[in-house]
Structure formats: C-alpha cells, structure tokens
Amino acid sequence: MRIVVHLLFWTLVGIAGTPNAMGQQLWEVFDMATSGLPSNTITDLVQDHQGDIWAGTDWGLCRFDGTAWEVIQTSNSGLPGDDVSCLSVDAQGRLWVGTVSHGIGILEDGAWSYLDNTNSPIVTEGVKHILHDHRDWVWISTELGLYCDTGEEWRHYDHTPESYAGFTFFGPNVRAVDVREDGLVAVATMNAGLTYLTESEFIYYTAASSNFPDNSMNDVALDGNGDRWLACPAGGLIWHASTFMGGPWFQYTAANVGLPDNTLLCIIVDEDDRKIIGSETGGVIIFEGPGTFSVLDEANSGLPDDHVRCLMMDDEGVLWAGTNIGGIARFDPTMRLEEYSQVPDINVYPNPATEIVHIRPSHGSGGMQWRVIDPTGKVVQEGTTRSEEEVIVDLSNVSSGVYALSVLQFGRMTTLQVIRN
C-alpha cells in the first residue's frame, strides 16, 4: 500500500496589529474605523481596468484608488441597492454590481444601467455571483437558476423541463460558476451537486447519483490544467481532476489532511497555480500541492477576522481578503506568499508505525513542542524538548488508525499524518 504523508504548516506570529516573530505585520486592514467603510462585512472584491479596487458590502459599494476609499450608496448614486452581493468587470471595463434584492446595476463612465425582471429574464432577488468569461458571455448565478447572456440570446438553466437545451439541473440554487477556454462551464450549487455544461453535453454529480463527496459548494475555480476545485460548506476542499465526464475526485478535510476548517466559502487560483481558500473559522488557507497547506489567520498573521468571505489577487500579485466583521485585509505588498510556504525540514519515521515513532527536529531549531491528536481531535500525547535530539513517541497504547502529529519549531507549526498499524 502506498502511504502519502500530508503536511500542514503555518507561521506563528503576533496578534493582529503587532509584528510577527520575523518583525513583520502581514496584513494592512481597511475598515469602518480606519478607512470610513460603510460596513465591515465584505461580500466581494474586484479590480477594474484602471487598477482601482472595488469592494461590495452589505451596506453599499466602495472604491479604492490606491490612496483613499470612496463610499457609493443608493443615497448618493444610482446604485440599485445597498445590499451588494457580488461584483464583476466585463471586457469593456463596466462594473457589474449584483445585489441581494435589487437586481444588477451596471456602472459605465459614471452612469448606471440596470438588469432585473423588468428588462431581462433574471429574477430581482438572490443574485449570488456574476462571471464574464473569455467570450465576454455573462453568467449570473441565482437562487432560481443560472442565467447566461451570450450577446445574442438569454439562456436560463434550472431544475424544470423548460431549462435551456433540456439540461435539467438537480436543483435551482446556483452559487458560482467558472468557465474554461474550451467552453466547459463548471457550476457550483447548493444542495444540487456539481454540474457541468458545454454546448452539447450536460452532467451533474451528487451524493445520490455518483457518490460525490458533497452536494453543496460555495465556490468553484479552475486551475492551470483545467481541473476543478470546489470550496464546500461542510465537505472541505474537493478536487475534480482530468475529464469532467467521470474524472477522479479527491477530498481534503480536517480529518484526512488537517484542514483548520471544513467550512470553505471561496477559492481563487493564483499565477503559480496555488489554490487560495477563504474559510469560515480558519482564515486563509493556501493549498501548495497535494495535501500541503499553509494557513494565515488572526493568531499568526494579523488577519482581522478568520471568517473570510471573498478573495482577490490584484494585478501586482497582492492578495486581498474580505472578511465577515473585520473589513478588508491586503497582504503585505512587499512580501510574496511563497515566502511563507517553505515547509520546515522535519523527519518523522517510520511511517506507518507499529508502536514507536521518531521525530527528528530541524537543524538549528533548538528544540520543539509536539502533540499527537486522534481523529476526534483529542490530544492523546504531547511533550516539549529544548534540544535537537530525536524524540521517541510511543504509540503502543493507541488504536490503529490515522493520527495528526503537530510539531512547533522555529515559531512554525507543522502538522502531518502518522499512520499507526
């Protein structure tokens, strides 16, 4: 049997607003107190063609020109509603603003136009996500199905027999889509599985139909290979690889790789093909490769809130995070994420183990703290050493299974799976 060791590490740093152990504060925070935002609840982030940053909140729209934030609300503009839910910029540079209950507003050169149920087939309420694909087709995800304007026609996909092209979804609540350059549309739904569309093909995966790991997804993103990555509200991270017709899928959770949170809210893929994920309680999770994660959260990086609702990478390669109650956080623009993605050189053997596991600290670490955690999250053993000598961990008194072994050294925590035979 092939054994794969999955690593998770994060840099332990100071509390928010204080430098970390390396003398750095990793996030710059924009909120109601410091920047005059109308709300600290951020619903979406996007950058326009001029480089300005736009933030949606539950109480209006904000624009950052690199110096100051401008607040745009129904009281001072043509914004259709202050309950902004999602943002997108099309090929012409127009800003599309989706709202919870007032349709979509489109801002072009300071003037507003609108899409709602009076001038289009889309419903007024429940706009969840807007995407402009490489053809500049616009895809609008709503609680009552998926709408697409190709420029020549409107298409509506839902769970009824009237769904476009006869492609009947398992359910109507669509949360987000991403579109591959070959035209494959990956559709993330709530309670209706993962759905795929092309011009001629349609398939969905659910727990009932395909033994898919989760019927609900909050977001979907495509990587450089065209594989699909799903941020799920209960099932962690799902990777659907290779062909969309029957390709293999892999699930990453707290139980099998040590994710800090199985409730994932959003996901983006950066230019280095890292999957960057916002979670409900675990901050920002950076997926480095199969089973390897980095975490940036309140405790270790100064993130203002571990409930991360939206993420964006700007054209300078700087990460932005929108949080639930902490406003907007911009990762230190002088640093790059990969500077925090070097896994400490720790050696654990044998793995799988029968009874004894050896932990060899990194050279120069000056010792370490360690703990063994069972699948329920209970700490079954722990200890501290102040030397660089190997630590011998006796697992003879625990049952066979998969355990998490967490080691703190150099101010970094490394967590890996240890299999007890």
Side-chain angles (χ1 to χ4, degrees), residues 78-81 83 85-86 88 90 94-107 111-132 136-142 147-151 153-155:
L79 183 70
D83 51 350
S85 57
C86 53
S88 184
D90 65 18
R94 298 177 298 178
L95 177 71
W96 292 55
V97 182
T99 67
V100 173
S101 56
H102 297 87
I104 295 172
I106 304 171
L107 181 61
W112 288 91
S113 59
Y114 307 96
L115 279 178
D116 56 29
N117 56 11
T118 66
N119 62 1
S120 77
I122 71 166
V123 294
T124 298
E125 298 184 355
V127 178
K128 298 293 186 182
H129 182 257
I130 302 171
L131 176 81
H132 290 85
D136 207 30
W137 293 10
V138 59
W139 298 85
I140 302 169
S141 303
T142 79
Y147 297 84
C148 176
D149 181 6
T150 68
E153 65 173 340
W154 276 97
R155 302 176 178 182

Short mmCIF file of all heavy atoms in Angstrom, two decimals, residues 78-81 83 85-86 88 90 94-107 111-132 136-142 147-151 153-155:
data_model
loop_
_atom_site.label_atom_id
_atom_site.label_comp_id
_atom_site.label_asym_id
_atom_site.label_seq_id
_atom_site.Cartn_x
_atom_site.Cartn_y
_atom_site.Cartn_z
N GLY A 78 -26.60 56.08 -8.30
CA GLY A 78 -27.63 55.24 -8.90
C GLY A 78 -27.51 53.78 -8.55
O GLY A 78 -28.12 52.93 -9.21
N LEU A 79 -26.73 53.45 -7.54
CA LEU A 79 -26.63 52.07 -7.08
C LEU A 79 -28.03 51.52 -6.82
O LEU A 79 -28.81 52.14 -6.10
CB LEU A 79 -25.78 52.00 -5.81
CG LEU A 79 -25.50 50.62 -5.22
CD1 LEU A 79 -24.56 49.83 -6.11
CD2 LEU A 79 -24.91 50.75 -3.82
N PRO A 80 -28.38 50.36 -7.39
CA PRO A 80 -29.76 49.88 -7.26
C PRO A 80 -30.14 49.45 -5.86
O PRO A 80 -31.32 49.46 -5.51
CB PRO A 80 -29.82 48.71 -8.24
CG PRO A 80 -28.41 48.25 -8.38
CD PRO A 80 -27.58 49.49 -8.26
N GLY A 81 -29.18 49.04 -5.05
CA GLY A 81 -29.45 48.62 -3.68
C GLY A 81 -28.17 48.58 -2.89
O GLY A 81 -27.10 48.30 -3.43
N ASP A 83 -27.49 46.46 -0.62
CA ASP A 83 -27.21 45.07 -0.23
C ASP A 83 -26.40 44.37 -1.32
O ASP A 83 -26.87 43.45 -1.98
CB ASP A 83 -28.51 44.33 0.05
CG ASP A 83 -29.54 44.47 -1.08
OD1 ASP A 83 -29.33 45.29 -1.99
OD2 ASP A 83 -30.55 43.75 -1.04
N SER A 85 -24.05 41.96 -3.24
CA SER A 85 -23.70 40.55 -3.03
C SER A 85 -22.51 40.09 -3.86
O SER A 85 -21.79 39.17 -3.45
CB SER A 85 -24.91 39.66 -3.37
OG SER A 85 -25.34 39.88 -4.70
N CYS A 86 -22.28 40.70 -5.05
CA CYS A 86 -21.20 40.22 -5.91
C CYS A 86 -20.82 41.29 -6.92
O CYS A 86 -21.61 42.21 -7.21
CB CYS A 86 -21.61 38.94 -6.63
SG CYS A 86 -23.17 39.04 -7.53
N SER A 88 -18.34 42.11 -10.71
CA SER A 88 -17.58 41.62 -11.86
C SER A 88 -17.28 42.79 -12.78
O SER A 88 -18.01 43.79 -12.79
CB SER A 88 -18.38 40.54 -12.62
OG SER A 88 -17.63 39.99 -13.68
N ASP A 90 -16.49 43.59 -16.90
CA ASP A 90 -16.53 42.97 -18.21
C ASP A 90 -15.41 43.48 -19.11
O ASP A 90 -14.58 44.31 -18.69
CB ASP A 90 -17.91 43.14 -18.86
CG ASP A 90 -18.25 44.60 -19.19
OD1 ASP A 90 -17.34 45.46 -19.24
OD2 ASP A 90 -19.45 44.88 -19.40
N ARG A 94 -16.83 47.80 -17.76
CA ARG A 94 -18.00 48.14 -16.97
C ARG A 94 -18.03 47.31 -15.70
O ARG A 94 -17.72 46.12 -15.72
CB ARG A 94 -19.28 47.90 -17.78
CG ARG A 94 -19.39 48.76 -19.04
CD ARG A 94 -20.64 48.42 -19.82
NE ARG A 94 -20.62 47.03 -20.29
CZ ARG A 94 -21.62 46.47 -20.98
NH1 ARG A 94 -22.71 47.18 -21.26
NH2 ARG A 94 -21.52 45.22 -21.38
N LEU A 95 -18.44 47.94 -14.59
CA LEU A 95 -18.58 47.26 -13.31
C LEU A 95 -20.00 46.75 -13.16
O LEU A 95 -20.96 47.53 -13.25
CB LEU A 95 -18.24 48.22 -12.16
CG LEU A 95 -18.41 47.65 -10.75
CD1 LEU A 95 -17.33 46.61 -10.46
CD2 LEU A 95 -18.39 48.77 -9.71
N TRP A 96 -20.14 45.46 -12.93
CA TRP A 96 -21.43 44.84 -12.69
C TRP A 96 -21.57 44.61 -11.18
O TRP A 96 -20.69 44.02 -10.55
CB TRP A 96 -21.55 43.51 -13.43
CG TRP A 96 -21.61 43.65 -14.93
CD1 TRP A 96 -20.71 44.28 -15.73
CD2 TRP A 96 -22.62 43.13 -15.79
NE1 TRP A 96 -21.08 44.19 -17.05
CE2 TRP A 96 -22.26 43.49 -17.11
CE3 TRP A 96 -23.80 42.40 -15.59
CZ2 TRP A 96 -23.04 43.13 -18.21
CZ3 TRP A 96 -24.56 42.04 -16.69
CH2 TRP A 96 -24.19 42.41 -17.99
N VAL A 97 -22.68 45.08 -10.62
CA VAL A 97 -22.91 45.00 -9.18
C VAL A 97 -24.19 44.20 -8.93
O VAL A 97 -25.30 44.67 -9.23
CB VAL A 97 -23.04 46.41 -8.57
CG1 VAL A 97 -23.22 46.30 -7.05
CG2 VAL A 97 -21.82 47.26 -8.91
N GLY A 98 -24.05 42.99 -8.41
CA GLY A 98 -25.20 42.19 -8.03
C GLY A 98 -25.64 42.52 -6.62
O GLY A 98 -24.81 42.79 -5.75
N THR A 99 -26.94 42.48 -6.39
CA THR A 99 -27.48 42.78 -5.07
C THR A 99 -28.34 41.63 -4.57
O THR A 99 -28.74 40.75 -5.34
CB THR A 99 -28.32 44.07 -5.08
OG1 THR A 99 -29.50 43.86 -5.86
CG2 THR A 99 -27.52 45.24 -5.65
N VAL A 100 -28.64 41.67 -3.30
CA VAL A 100 -29.44 40.62 -2.70
C VAL A 100 -30.89 40.70 -3.17
O VAL A 100 -31.54 39.69 -3.43
CB VAL A 100 -29.37 40.71 -1.16
CG1 VAL A 100 -30.34 39.72 -0.51
CG2 VAL A 100 -27.94 40.45 -0.68
N SER A 101 -31.42 41.91 -3.31
CA SER A 101 -32.85 42.04 -3.59
C SER A 101 -33.20 43.14 -4.58
O SER A 101 -34.38 43.49 -4.72
CB SER A 101 -33.61 42.30 -2.28
OG SER A 101 -33.10 43.43 -1.61
N HIS A 102 -32.19 43.70 -5.29
CA HIS A 102 -32.48 44.79 -6.21
C HIS A 102 -31.85 44.57 -7.59
O HIS A 102 -31.50 45.52 -8.29
CB HIS A 102 -31.98 46.12 -5.63
CG HIS A 102 -32.66 46.51 -4.35
ND1 HIS A 102 -32.21 46.09 -3.12
CD2 HIS A 102 -33.76 47.27 -4.13
CE1 HIS A 102 -32.99 46.58 -2.18
NE2 HIS A 102 -33.94 47.29 -2.76
N GLY A 103 -31.70 43.33 -8.00
CA GLY A 103 -31.17 43.04 -9.32
C GLY A 103 -29.71 43.41 -9.48
O GLY A 103 -28.92 43.35 -8.53
N ILE A 104 -29.35 43.82 -10.68
CA ILE A 104 -27.96 44.11 -11.03
C ILE A 104 -27.86 45.54 -11.55
O ILE A 104 -28.66 45.97 -12.40
CB ILE A 104 -27.46 43.13 -12.10
CG1 ILE A 104 -27.44 41.70 -11.54
CG2 ILE A 104 -26.06 43.52 -12.60
CD1 ILE A 104 -27.15 40.65 -12.60
N GLY A 105 -26.88 46.28 -11.05
CA GLY A 105 -26.55 47.59 -11.59
C GLY A 105 -25.26 47.50 -12.38
O GLY A 105 -24.33 46.78 -12.00
N ILE A 106 -25.19 48.25 -13.49
CA ILE A 106 -24.01 48.25 -14.35
C ILE A 106 -23.50 49.69 -14.44
O ILE A 106 -24.22 50.58 -14.89
CB ILE A 106 -24.34 47.70 -15.75
CG1 ILE A 106 -24.94 46.30 -15.65
CG2 ILE A 106 -23.08 47.68 -16.63
CD1 ILE A 106 -25.49 45.76 -16.95
N LEU A 107 -22.27 49.90 -13.98
CA LEU A 107 -21.68 51.24 -13.93
C LEU A 107 -20.69 51.41 -15.07
O LEU A 107 -19.72 50.66 -15.18
CB LEU A 107 -20.98 51.45 -12.58
CG LEU A 107 -20.34 52.81 -12.34
CD1 LEU A 107 -21.37 53.94 -12.39
CD2 LEU A 107 -19.59 52.82 -11.01
N ALA A 111 -22.21 56.42 -15.20
CA ALA A 111 -23.65 56.28 -15.43
C ALA A 111 -24.09 54.85 -15.13
O ALA A 111 -23.37 53.89 -15.42
CB ALA A 111 -23.99 56.65 -16.87
N TRP A 112 -25.30 54.71 -14.59
CA TRP A 112 -25.84 53.42 -14.20
C TRP A 112 -26.91 52.94 -15.19
O TRP A 112 -27.73 53.73 -15.65
CB TRP A 112 -26.46 53.49 -12.81
CG TRP A 112 -25.47 53.61 -11.70
CD1 TRP A 112 -24.99 54.76 -11.15
CD2 TRP A 112 -24.83 52.54 -11.00
NE1 TRP A 112 -24.09 54.48 -10.15
CE2 TRP A 112 -23.98 53.12 -10.03
CE3 TRP A 112 -24.90 51.15 -11.09
CZ2 TRP A 112 -23.20 52.36 -9.17
CZ3 TRP A 112 -24.13 50.39 -10.23
CH2 TRP A 112 -23.29 50.99 -9.28
N SER A 113 -26.87 51.65 -15.49
CA SER A 113 -27.98 50.97 -16.14
C SER A 113 -28.29 49.74 -15.31
O SER A 113 -27.54 49.40 -14.38
CB SER A 113 -27.63 50.60 -17.59
OG SER A 113 -26.47 49.75 -17.62
N TYR A 114 -29.39 49.04 -15.65
CA TYR A 114 -29.87 48.01 -14.72
C TYR A 114 -30.36 46.77 -15.45
O TYR A 114 -30.86 46.86 -16.59
CB TYR A 114 -31.01 48.58 -13.86
CG TYR A 114 -30.63 49.86 -13.17
CD1 TYR A 114 -30.95 51.09 -13.74
CD2 TYR A 114 -29.90 49.84 -11.99
CE1 TYR A 114 -30.58 52.27 -13.13
CE2 TYR A 114 -29.52 51.01 -11.36
CZ TYR A 114 -29.85 52.23 -11.94
OH TYR A 114 -29.46 53.39 -11.34
N LEU A 115 -30.22 45.64 -14.79
CA LEU A 115 -30.83 44.38 -15.21
C LEU A 115 -31.68 43.87 -14.06
O LEU A 115 -31.17 43.70 -12.94
CB LEU A 115 -29.76 43.35 -15.56
CG LEU A 115 -29.10 43.39 -16.94
CD1 LEU A 115 -28.05 42.31 -17.03
CD2 LEU A 115 -30.12 43.24 -18.05
N ASP A 116 -32.92 43.61 -14.33
CA ASP A 116 -33.80 42.99 -13.35
C ASP A 116 -34.92 42.30 -14.10
O ASP A 116 -34.83 42.09 -15.31
CB ASP A 116 -34.32 44.02 -12.33
CG ASP A 116 -35.04 45.19 -12.99
OD1 ASP A 116 -35.61 45.00 -14.08
OD2 ASP A 116 -35.03 46.29 -12.42
N ASN A 117 -36.00 41.96 -13.40
CA ASN A 117 -37.06 41.19 -14.05
C ASN A 117 -37.97 42.04 -14.92
O ASN A 117 -38.92 41.53 -15.52
CB ASN A 117 -37.88 40.41 -13.03
CG ASN A 117 -38.47 41.31 -11.96
OD1 ASN A 117 -38.45 42.54 -12.07
ND2 ASN A 117 -38.97 40.70 -10.90
N THR A 118 -37.69 43.34 -15.04
CA THR A 118 -38.47 44.18 -15.94
C THR A 118 -37.88 44.26 -17.34
O THR A 118 -38.58 44.57 -18.30
CB THR A 118 -38.61 45.61 -15.38
OG1 THR A 118 -37.32 46.25 -15.36
CG2 THR A 118 -39.18 45.58 -13.96
N ASN A 119 -36.57 44.00 -17.46
CA ASN A 119 -35.94 44.13 -18.77
C ASN A 119 -35.06 42.94 -19.14
O ASN A 119 -34.29 43.00 -20.10
CB ASN A 119 -35.10 45.42 -18.84
CG ASN A 119 -33.97 45.45 -17.83
OD1 ASN A 119 -33.78 44.51 -17.07
ND2 ASN A 119 -33.24 46.56 -17.79
N SER A 120 -35.16 41.86 -18.37
CA SER A 120 -34.40 40.64 -18.66
C SER A 120 -35.10 39.48 -17.98
O SER A 120 -35.99 39.69 -17.15
CB SER A 120 -32.96 40.77 -18.13
OG SER A 120 -32.93 40.58 -16.72
N PRO A 121 -34.71 38.25 -18.29
CA PRO A 121 -35.35 37.10 -17.64
C PRO A 121 -34.86 36.85 -16.22
O PRO A 121 -35.42 35.99 -15.53
CB PRO A 121 -35.00 35.93 -18.55
CG PRO A 121 -33.77 36.34 -19.24
CD PRO A 121 -33.83 37.83 -19.40
N ILE A 122 -33.82 37.57 -15.76
CA ILE A 122 -33.29 37.27 -14.43
C ILE A 122 -34.26 37.74 -13.36
O ILE A 122 -35.02 38.69 -13.55
CB ILE A 122 -31.90 37.89 -14.19
CG1 ILE A 122 -31.99 39.41 -14.05
CG2 ILE A 122 -30.93 37.49 -15.26
CD1 ILE A 122 -30.73 40.01 -13.49
N VAL A 123 -34.21 37.05 -12.23
CA VAL A 123 -35.05 37.44 -11.10
C VAL A 123 -34.40 38.60 -10.37
O VAL A 123 -33.20 38.84 -10.48
CB VAL A 123 -35.24 36.26 -10.13
CG1 VAL A 123 -36.03 35.15 -10.79
CG2 VAL A 123 -33.89 35.74 -9.64
N THR A 124 -35.21 39.37 -9.64
CA THR A 124 -34.68 40.53 -8.92
C THR A 124 -33.87 40.10 -7.71
O THR A 124 -32.86 40.70 -7.37
CB THR A 124 -35.83 41.45 -8.48
OG1 THR A 124 -36.50 41.91 -9.64
CG2 THR A 124 -35.31 42.65 -7.71
N GLU A 125 -34.31 39.07 -7.02
CA GLU A 125 -33.70 38.70 -5.76
C GLU A 125 -32.71 37.54 -5.93
O GLU A 125 -32.83 36.74 -6.85
CB GLU A 125 -34.77 38.32 -4.74
CG GLU A 125 -35.71 39.46 -4.41
CD GLU A 125 -36.71 39.09 -3.32
OE1 GLU A 125 -36.72 37.92 -2.91
OE2 GLU A 125 -37.46 39.98 -2.89
N GLY A 126 -31.76 37.47 -4.98
CA GLY A 126 -30.92 36.29 -4.86
C GLY A 126 -29.79 36.18 -5.86
O GLY A 126 -29.39 35.06 -6.21
N VAL A 127 -29.26 37.30 -6.35
CA VAL A 127 -28.09 37.23 -7.23
C VAL A 127 -26.87 36.89 -6.37
O VAL A 127 -26.50 37.62 -5.46
CB VAL A 127 -27.86 38.57 -7.97
CG1 VAL A 127 -26.61 38.48 -8.84
CG2 VAL A 127 -29.08 38.91 -8.83
N LYS A 128 -26.23 35.77 -6.68
CA LYS A 128 -25.13 35.25 -5.86
C LYS A 128 -23.75 35.51 -6.45
O LYS A 128 -22.77 35.69 -5.72
CB LYS A 128 -25.30 33.74 -5.67
CG LYS A 128 -26.57 33.32 -4.96
CD LYS A 128 -26.56 33.77 -3.52
CE LYS A 128 -27.76 33.23 -2.76
NZ LYS A 128 -27.78 33.69 -1.36
N HIS A 129 -23.63 35.51 -7.79
CA HIS A 129 -22.31 35.53 -8.40
C HIS A 129 -22.47 35.97 -9.85
O HIS A 129 -23.45 35.61 -10.52
CB HIS A 129 -21.70 34.13 -8.32
CG HIS A 129 -20.32 34.01 -8.89
ND1 HIS A 129 -20.04 33.46 -10.12
CD2 HIS A 129 -19.11 34.37 -8.37
CE1 HIS A 129 -18.73 33.47 -10.34
NE2 HIS A 129 -18.15 34.02 -9.30
N ILE A 130 -21.52 36.77 -10.35
CA ILE A 130 -21.51 37.20 -11.74
C ILE A 130 -20.13 36.91 -12.31
O ILE A 130 -19.11 37.26 -11.70
CB ILE A 130 -21.82 38.70 -11.88
CG1 ILE A 130 -23.18 39.04 -11.26
CG2 ILE A 130 -21.79 39.13 -13.34
CD1 ILE A 130 -23.45 40.53 -11.17
N LEU A 131 -20.07 36.28 -13.46
CA LEU A 131 -18.81 35.97 -14.12
C LEU A 131 -18.89 36.36 -15.58
O LEU A 131 -19.85 36.00 -16.28
CB LEU A 131 -18.48 34.48 -14.01
CG LEU A 131 -17.22 34.05 -14.76
CD1 LEU A 131 -15.98 34.36 -13.94
CD2 LEU A 131 -17.26 32.57 -15.14
N HIS A 132 -17.87 37.05 -16.07
CA HIS A 132 -17.70 37.29 -17.51
C HIS A 132 -16.59 36.37 -18.00
O HIS A 132 -15.46 36.44 -17.53
CB HIS A 132 -17.35 38.76 -17.77
CG HIS A 132 -18.49 39.69 -17.51
ND1 HIS A 132 -18.77 40.19 -16.27
CD2 HIS A 132 -19.45 40.18 -18.35
CE1 HIS A 132 -19.83 40.98 -16.34
NE2 HIS A 132 -20.26 40.99 -17.58
N ASP A 136 -16.69 37.00 -23.15
CA ASP A 136 -17.48 38.07 -22.56
C ASP A 136 -18.95 37.71 -22.46
O ASP A 136 -19.82 38.57 -22.42
CB ASP A 136 -17.31 39.42 -23.26
CG ASP A 136 -17.57 40.59 -22.29
OD1 ASP A 136 -17.31 40.42 -21.09
OD2 ASP A 136 -18.03 41.65 -22.75
N TRP A 137 -19.26 36.42 -22.43
CA TRP A 137 -20.60 35.99 -22.03
C TRP A 137 -20.70 36.23 -20.53
O TRP A 137 -19.74 36.01 -19.78
CB TRP A 137 -20.82 34.51 -22.30
CG TRP A 137 -20.84 34.13 -23.76
CD1 TRP A 137 -20.50 34.91 -24.83
CD2 TRP A 137 -21.22 32.85 -24.28
NE1 TRP A 137 -20.63 34.21 -26.00
CE2 TRP A 137 -21.08 32.94 -25.70
CE3 TRP A 137 -21.65 31.67 -23.73
CZ2 TRP A 137 -21.37 31.87 -26.54
CZ3 TRP A 137 -21.94 30.59 -24.56
CH2 TRP A 137 -21.81 30.69 -25.95
N VAL A 138 -21.86 36.67 -20.09
CA VAL A 138 -22.04 36.91 -18.67
C VAL A 138 -22.88 35.78 -18.08
O VAL A 138 -23.92 35.42 -18.63
CB VAL A 138 -22.67 38.29 -18.39
CG1 VAL A 138 -24.03 38.44 -19.05
CG2 VAL A 138 -22.78 38.53 -16.89
N TRP A 139 -22.40 35.23 -16.96
CA TRP A 139 -23.07 34.13 -16.26
C TRP A 139 -23.51 34.67 -14.90
O TRP A 139 -22.69 35.17 -14.13
CB TRP A 139 -22.13 32.94 -16.08
CG TRP A 139 -21.68 32.34 -17.37
CD1 TRP A 139 -20.62 32.75 -18.14
CD2 TRP A 139 -22.28 31.25 -18.07
NE1 TRP A 139 -20.52 31.97 -19.27
CE2 TRP A 139 -21.53 31.04 -19.25
CE3 TRP A 139 -23.38 30.43 -17.80
CZ2 TRP A 139 -21.84 30.03 -20.16
CZ3 TRP A 139 -23.69 29.43 -18.70
CH2 TRP A 139 -22.94 29.23 -19.87
N ILE A 140 -24.79 34.54 -14.62
CA ILE A 140 -25.38 35.10 -13.40
C ILE A 140 -25.97 33.96 -12.58
O ILE A 140 -26.93 33.29 -13.02
CB ILE A 140 -26.46 36.15 -13.75
CG1 ILE A 140 -25.85 37.27 -14.61
CG2 ILE A 140 -27.10 36.71 -12.48
CD1 ILE A 140 -26.88 38.20 -15.22
N SER A 141 -25.40 33.74 -11.42
CA SER A 141 -25.85 32.67 -10.53
C SER A 141 -26.89 33.23 -9.56
O SER A 141 -26.65 34.26 -8.92
CB SER A 141 -24.67 32.09 -9.75
OG SER A 141 -23.67 31.60 -10.61
N THR A 142 -28.02 32.55 -9.45
CA THR A 142 -29.08 33.00 -8.56
C THR A 142 -29.67 31.81 -7.81
O THR A 142 -29.38 30.65 -8.12
CB THR A 142 -30.23 33.70 -9.32
OG1 THR A 142 -31.07 32.72 -9.94
CG2 THR A 142 -29.68 34.65 -10.39
N TYR A 147 -28.34 32.02 -15.22
CA TYR A 147 -28.69 32.79 -16.41
C TYR A 147 -27.41 33.11 -17.18
O TYR A 147 -26.37 33.40 -16.58
CB TYR A 147 -29.39 34.09 -16.03
CG TYR A 147 -30.72 33.88 -15.34
CD1 TYR A 147 -30.78 33.65 -13.97
CD2 TYR A 147 -31.91 33.92 -16.05
CE1 TYR A 147 -31.99 33.46 -13.32
CE2 TYR A 147 -33.13 33.73 -15.42
CZ TYR A 147 -33.17 33.50 -14.06
OH TYR A 147 -34.37 33.31 -13.43
N CYS A 148 -27.51 33.09 -18.51
CA CYS A 148 -26.37 33.43 -19.35
C CYS A 148 -26.82 34.32 -20.49
O CYS A 148 -27.79 33.99 -21.20
CB CYS A 148 -25.72 32.16 -19.91
SG CYS A 148 -24.35 32.48 -21.06
N ASP A 149 -26.12 35.45 -20.67
CA ASP A 149 -26.35 36.33 -21.82
C ASP A 149 -25.15 36.18 -22.74
O ASP A 149 -24.03 36.60 -22.41
CB ASP A 149 -26.52 37.77 -21.35
CG ASP A 149 -26.79 38.73 -22.51
OD1 ASP A 149 -26.97 38.25 -23.65
OD2 ASP A 149 -26.80 39.95 -22.27
N THR A 150 -25.36 35.59 -23.90
CA THR A 150 -24.27 35.36 -24.85
C THR A 150 -24.02 36.58 -25.74
O THR A 150 -23.09 36.58 -26.54
CB THR A 150 -24.59 34.16 -25.76
OG1 THR A 150 -25.68 34.51 -26.63
CG2 THR A 150 -24.93 32.93 -24.94
N GLY A 151 -24.85 37.59 -25.61
CA GLY A 151 -24.82 38.72 -26.53
C GLY A 151 -25.80 38.57 -27.66
O GLY A 151 -26.18 39.56 -28.30
N GLU A 153 -28.42 35.86 -27.19
CA GLU A 153 -29.61 35.30 -26.57
C GLU A 153 -29.40 35.16 -25.07
O GLU A 153 -28.27 35.14 -24.58
CB GLU A 153 -29.93 33.92 -27.16
CG GLU A 153 -28.86 32.87 -26.84
CD GLU A 153 -29.26 31.47 -27.28
OE1 GLU A 153 -30.47 31.22 -27.47
OE2 GLU A 153 -28.36 30.60 -27.40
N TRP A 154 -30.52 35.08 -24.35
CA TRP A 154 -30.51 34.73 -22.93
C TRP A 154 -30.78 33.24 -22.78
O TRP A 154 -31.65 32.69 -23.48
CB TRP A 154 -31.58 35.52 -22.17
CG TRP A 154 -31.17 36.89 -21.75
CD1 TRP A 154 -31.44 38.06 -22.40
CD2 TRP A 154 -30.43 37.24 -20.58
NE1 TRP A 154 -30.90 39.12 -21.71
CE2 TRP A 154 -30.28 38.65 -20.58
CE3 TRP A 154 -29.87 36.51 -19.53
CZ2 TRP A 154 -29.61 39.34 -19.58
CZ3 TRP A 154 -29.20 37.19 -18.53
CH2 TRP A 154 -29.07 38.58 -18.56
N ARG A 155 -30.02 32.62 -21.87
CA ARG A 155 -30.26 31.22 -21.54
C ARG A 155 -30.56 31.12 -20.05
O ARG A 155 -29.95 31.83 -19.24
CB ARG A 155 -29.04 30.36 -21.87
CG ARG A 155 -28.60 30.45 -23.33
CD ARG A 155 -27.32 29.66 -23.56
NE ARG A 155 -26.92 29.69 -24.96
CZ ARG A 155 -25.85 29.06 -25.45
NH1 ARG A 155 -25.07 28.34 -24.63
NH2 ARG A 155 -25.56 29.12 -26.73
#
